[in-house]
Amino acid sequence: MSERPSGAGSISGISAVVLGESLADEEHELVFPSAEFSATALVSSPQQYKEMYERSIKDPAGFWSEIADAFYWKEKWNPSEVCSENLDVSKGPVHISWFKGGKTNICYNAVDRNVEAGNGDKIALYWEGNEPGQDGKLTYSELVEKVCQLANYLKSVGVGKGDAVIIYLPMLLELPIAMLACARIGAVHSVVFAGFSADSLAQRIVDCKPKLVLTCNAVKRGPKPILLKDIVDAALVESEKNGFSVGICLTYENQSVMKRQDTKWQAGRDVWWQDVVTNFPTKCDVEWVDAEDPLFLLYTSGSTGKPKGVMHTSGGYMVYTATTFKYAFDYKPTDIYWCTADCGWITGHSYVTYGPLLNGAAVLVFEGTPNYPNAGRCWDIVDKYKVSIFYTAPTLVRSLMRDGDEYVTRYSRKSLRVLGSVGEPINPSAWRWFYNVVGDSKCPISDTWWQTETGGFMMTPLPGAWPQKPGSATFPFFGVQPVIVDEKGQEIEGECSGYLCIKKSWPGAFRTLYGDHDRYETTYFKPFAGYYFTGDGCSRDKDGYHWLTGRVDDVINVSGHRIGTAEVESALVSHPQCAEAAVVGVEHEVKGQGIYAFVTLVDGIPYSEELRKSLIAKVRTQIGAFAAPDRIHWAPGLPKTRSGKIMRRILRKIAAKQLDELGDISTLADPGVVDQLIALKDC
């Protein structure tokens, strides 16, 4: 770990609440940015951060209006309505709005504005294909033309402001193009990760009722071809059974994987992208939308079986994603930026598409998997494009760490300047490997904590501003007021652990769950009145650094993907030979958390390896491969209270092999079930 550099700014003047007064006694725990890095950083010292942060809390309207002024607004927002909110369910319906009355367009700000500023010839998007040697690129001028052609096509088939469009595409350039085209005409895009099953896709289609679905015929992930159009076809059949029919399926021909003559086709509904979109003009008028008009829906797993349609709006989200990207990565116009996330998740929305392009960045879009054809692929790509900011998930870091240093050190990586982590807390050993081996002990790590619901970073190091502690998300971003509360909702000060909540809103906050505002209030605002409840646990150390401890509800974080236990249980129980199932998360060396399923079979059905595989396949079919249980544990019965509630605490201990920590089981209706489960743990 690096020593404190000579000339590093003194932090003794920062209050304990913000940075802690005892840091000087704990230098051995800290990793300091180099004096050279801090000298050119956008936020270069704890004092500068403290001043900006305090202003963002004391004068949020002034702070965010000043930042918003840097973007183009067709009409300015009402100065007296920069922010309006009620987070307290006891005082009426929950509502949040920012820049109300202002009219803008995020596509215009992300693309046209960069062209008009003289950066039309700058590369906006680099594309690296699944196979080494497949690549492409678009300048900002070329990007705006592609976006306009698709936007004009969408308008020609009746898509207009407020209409939903489902996008089920892999990481081709057409995916961010499709997002931007929807935003340009005021349509609401809902990107569905192209790893979700037909059933999951159908659920989302039925919920948001899109005018059309965008997909491609096939894609390769590593050596394996995935027939995406077949999945969409099955989803469209399923959604029709559930009362909603999609009129158009616009399909991109991914020629390197599958020719059009080999693609299943339904005349009258299916349309080839290349046959129609390229015929449209390369200019398309912008639809100016209110700051509070919806921009996109993104479905996320919940603790009940039905996915939640998280709705983000245009103005506040635009300002917040652009600002968080700029400061958290210390973005400079010369940077080449690569985020390994898929646009099917919020990270791909905020930090592949919108945040970087709003800053005029050059963004790398990667179609493939980071360990194909070998574990050196990431660093080969870093060297090829001279990537300077690399943002990825702890899952990938742990996976590459396990493959050994030699896959990293055979590449230069000298272009790297800032590293980033997203999706789950990164364990200190992985943090140190990422810092020391990948970053050659010179690249600060932006270890970001945030959620689909928050739209952008909530807590993150600012790379040049303060020392880091491996595994800590450190301090809140501007405008964010995190609090740790106990079970009664009382704020706890100083060194503590508890439930992480946010008081007061921020511009990137989601506004509702689509079609279900009651669930929005119940899930996020009723647990602790007056606060947004994150669903995460958090510890704060004596220096004020925050440490995220994971989900406290029934959601498992697998490789950064939030998966509701109820969804997996529902899929298992739909198997004709499964009577009951209970799913818990368990530590996993690579994924962070794995899915551990306790399964009770129908009477008379014997345990077998074939049945185990069949149950796992059921989950893969209904949700997707990423939700497949890592372990099926046969369970003649489940530990339940006399009222019938499953005691998941006991299941978690059994799954984690912490058998000496089971606690009191006398309240169970049948304590003998626990012995049965322990006896079967190795079956």
Side-chain angles (χ1 to χ4, degrees):
M1 308 301 282
S2 59
E3 298 296 320
R4 183 172 188 159
S6 60
S10 169
I11 53 175
S12 59
I14 305 299
S15 69
V17 173
V18 178
L19 277 181
E21 293 169 346
S22 58
L23 283 176
D25 299 325
E26 300 193 2
E27 287 184 316
H28 63 282
E29 291 186 13
L30 304 176
V31 182
F32 286 82
S34 70
E36 293 78 15
F37 190 101
S38 292
T40 61
L42 296 171
V43 180
S44 59
S45 69
Q47 190 61 40
Q48 184 187 353
Y49 163 74
K50 181 174 183 264
E51 290 169 3
M52 292 177 71
Y53 179 76
E54 287 183 349
R55 187 188 168 212
S56 75
I57 300 304
K58 290 175 182 173
D59 179 23
F63 180 87
W64 289 110
S65 289
E66 200 171 286
I67 291 172
D69 272 334
F71 297 91
Y72 179 80
W73 298 79
K74 187 72 172 174
E75 293 178 21
K76 195 75 177 285
W77 57 88
N78 185 335
S80 65
E81 289 190 276
V82 176
C83 173
S84 171
E85 66 182 41
N86 172 46
L87 307 189
D88 192 337
V89 289
S90 67
K91 295 180 179 176
V94 172
H95 70 88
I96 296 167
S97 73
W98 283 81
F99 310 113
K100 194 160 187 180
K103 292 197 180 299
T104 188
N105 184 285
I106 196 169
C107 173
Y108 178 85
N109 277 285
V111 187
D112 304 61
R113 196 170 55 106
N114 287 305
V115 175
E116 290 166 10
N119 293 319
D121 292 335
K122 180 177 179 178
I123 301 298
L125 300 173
Y126 289 100
W127 178 74
E128 174 74 9
N130 178 69
E131 300 292 337
Q134 291 180 332
D135 53 32
K137 59 188 176 183
L138 289 174
T139 64
Y140 273 94
S141 291
E142 291 167 335
L143 176 59
V144 76
E145 290 181 353
K146 298 271 190 190
V147 167
C148 285
Q149 284 186 311
L150 180 57
N152 281 320
Y153 168 76
L154 292 174
K155 289 203 299 186
S156 78
V157 295
V159 178
K161 182 179 176 182
D163 289 332
V165 173
I166 289 264
I167 302 171
Y168 188 77
L169 282 167
M171 289 295 281
L172 303 172
L173 291 180
E174 283 66 28
L175 178 44
I177 287 168
M179 295 165 69
L180 291 161
C182 290
R184 188 175 196 84
I185 62 174
V188 180
H189 61 71
S190 183
V191 183
V192 179
F193 172 56
F196 272 113
S197 68
D199 286 355
S200 291
L201 176 57
Q203 269 188 315
R204 288 151 174 78
I205 290 170
V206 170
D207 193 65
C208 75
K209 298 179 172 48
K211 279 284 181 78
L212 80 165
V213 173
L214 303 183
T215 190
C216 80
N217 53 352
V219 67
K220 262 192 171 180
R221 291 207 180 93
K224 184 182 178 185
I226 312 286
L227 305 182
L228 293 183
K229 176 68 164 49
D230 287 3
I231 296 170
V232 172
D233 287 348
L236 294 176
V237 169
E238 187 64 27
S239 62
E240 195 161 357
K241 285 181 191 171
N242 286 285
F244 183 76
S245 180
V246 176
I248 298 173
C249 177
L250 182 66
T251 306
Y252 185 82
E253 182 187 359
N254 196 5
Q255 296 174 351
S256 65
V257 183
M258 181 185 245
K259 302 301 182 195
R260 62 171 63 191
Q261 58 266 29
D262 299 321
T263 306
K264 292 177 186 172
W265 206 247
Q266 183 173 313
R269 183 197 70 189
D270 299 344
V271 181
W272 286 113
W273 180 307
Q274 286 93 329
D275 286 356
V276 293
V277 173
T278 53
N279 297 327
F280 280 83
T282 56
K283 287 187 167 54
C284 175
D285 290 342
V286 172
E287 180 73 36
W288 302 107
V289 299
D290 189 272
E292 284 301 311
D293 282 340
L295 172 63
F296 66 84
L297 296 177
L298 188 54
Y299 287 87
T300 182
S301 293
S303 54
T304 64
K306 186 186 175 192
K308 300 176 295 196
V310 170
M311 192 185 87
H312 281 284
T313 52
S314 297
Y317 175 84
M318 175 180 77
V319 172
Y320 197 70
T321 51
T323 308
T324 48
F325 173 83
K326 174 181 173 180
Y327 286 107
F329 296 121
D330 190 51
Y331 171 72
K332 306 289 197 296
T334 52
D335 280 317
I336 306 294
Y337 168 78
W338 180 21
C339 170
T340 63
D342 190 288
C343 288
W345 308 107
I346 186 63
T347 305
H349 284 60
S350 298
Y351 301 113
V352 173
T353 303
Y354 291 117
L357 296 179
L358 287 163
N359 281 279
V363 182
L364 176 62
V365 175
F366 177 44
E367 178 193 24
T369 55
N371 54 5
Y372 174 80
N374 60 54
R377 184 72 188 277
C378 281
W379 322 121
D380 180 43
I381 292 170
V382 164
D383 283 359
K384 176 178 176 178
Y385 293 96
K386 302 294 185 284
V387 171
S388 53
I389 303 172
F390 178 69
Y391 187 38
T392 194
T395 307
L396 176 61
V397 174
R398 288 189 292 266
S399 175
L400 296 174
M401 180 178 166
R402 196 172 61 174
D403 289 325
D405 296 3
E406 63 274 12
Y407 279 108
V408 183
T409 56
R410 69 175 65 161
Y411 296 96
S412 161
R413 296 159 287 109
K414 284 183 180 173
S415 59
L416 288 174
R417 196 174 70 80
V418 176
L419 302 175
S421 173
V422 60
E424 60 186 297
I426 184 169
N427 49 304
S429 61
W431 192 103
R432 290 185 180 96
W433 183 84
F434 199 27
Y435 179 80
N436 290 324
V437 179
V438 174
D440 284 335
S441 305
K442 66 181 179 63
C443 301
I445 299 175
S446 292
D447 180 5
T448 61
W449 171 78
W450 60 300
Q451 302 173 315
T452 303
E453 294 88 347
T454 71
F457 305 145
M458 300 294 278
M459 282 195 270
T460 177
L462 300 185
W466 58 71
Q468 292 184 249
K469 294 187 180 185
S472 169
T474 71
F475 302 103
F477 192 73
F478 306 127
V480 176
Q481 297 186 60
V483 294
I484 297 174
V485 303
D486 61 20
E487 291 185 352
K488 294 178 181 176
Q490 299 297 311
E491 290 186 29
I492 318 171
E493 300 295 333
E495 189 176 358
C496 62
S497 292
Y499 301 99
L500 180 59
C501 293
I502 310 293
K503 62 179 177 183
K504 306 296 287 182
S505 71
W506 60 99
F510 72 135
R511 304 305 198 245
T512 191
L513 293 176
Y514 180 67
D516 201 346
H517 199 73
D518 285 346
R519 189 180 181 192
Y520 170 74
E521 294 186 343
T522 300
T523 304
Y524 301 99
F525 298 96
K526 281 189 178 171
F528 302 105
Y531 301 98
Y532 164 74
F533 175 44
T534 67
D536 283 333
C538 184
S539 296
R540 184 171 51 226
D541 66 22
K542 63 180 181 294
D543 300 318
Y545 281 65
H546 295 82
W547 302 77
L548 276 295
T549 56
R551 304 294 301 172
V552 298
D553 58 11
D554 293 328
V555 174
I556 303 172
N557 197 326
V558 179
S559 300
H561 306 328
R562 286 171 57 186
I563 301 166
T565 56
E567 283 185 279
V568 182
E569 289 165 0
S570 176
L572 288 166
V573 172
S574 70
H575 191 290
Q577 294 176 320
C578 176
E580 193 170 24
V583 168
V584 297
V586 67
E587 277 192 31
H588 190 285
E589 182 186 358
V590 174
K591 300 177 185 176
Q593 278 191 298
I595 296 175
Y596 195 110
F598 293 85
V599 171
T600 303
L601 298 178
V602 171
D603 281 349
I605 300 295
Y607 305 138
S608 70
E609 188 58 29
E610 291 74 21
L611 181 51
R612 193 192 307 269
K613 290 177 180 175
S614 178
L615 286 161
I616 291 170
K618 193 69 168 172
V619 178
R620 294 172 72 99
T621 300
Q622 287 206 7
I623 304 174
F626 60 93
D630 297 278
R631 176 81 194 277
I632 300 285
H633 186 133
W634 303 122
L638 295 170
K640 296 178 181 177
T641 63
R642 290 177 180 83
S643 64
K645 182 181 178 183
I646 297 172
M647 293 286 281
R648 294 172 188 278
R649 168 182 61 81
I650 293 171
L651 296 180
R652 289 189 189 99
K653 294 298 183 185
I654 293 172
K657 300 180 180 176
Q658 297 169 338
L659 303 181
D660 55 344
E661 299 177 23
L662 292 175
D664 182 15
I665 61 172
S666 62
T667 57
L668 296 177
D670 179 10
V673 165
V674 176
D675 291 331
Q676 289 179 310
L677 290 175
I678 291 170
L680 287 166
K681 65 183 172 64
D682 296 320
C683 290

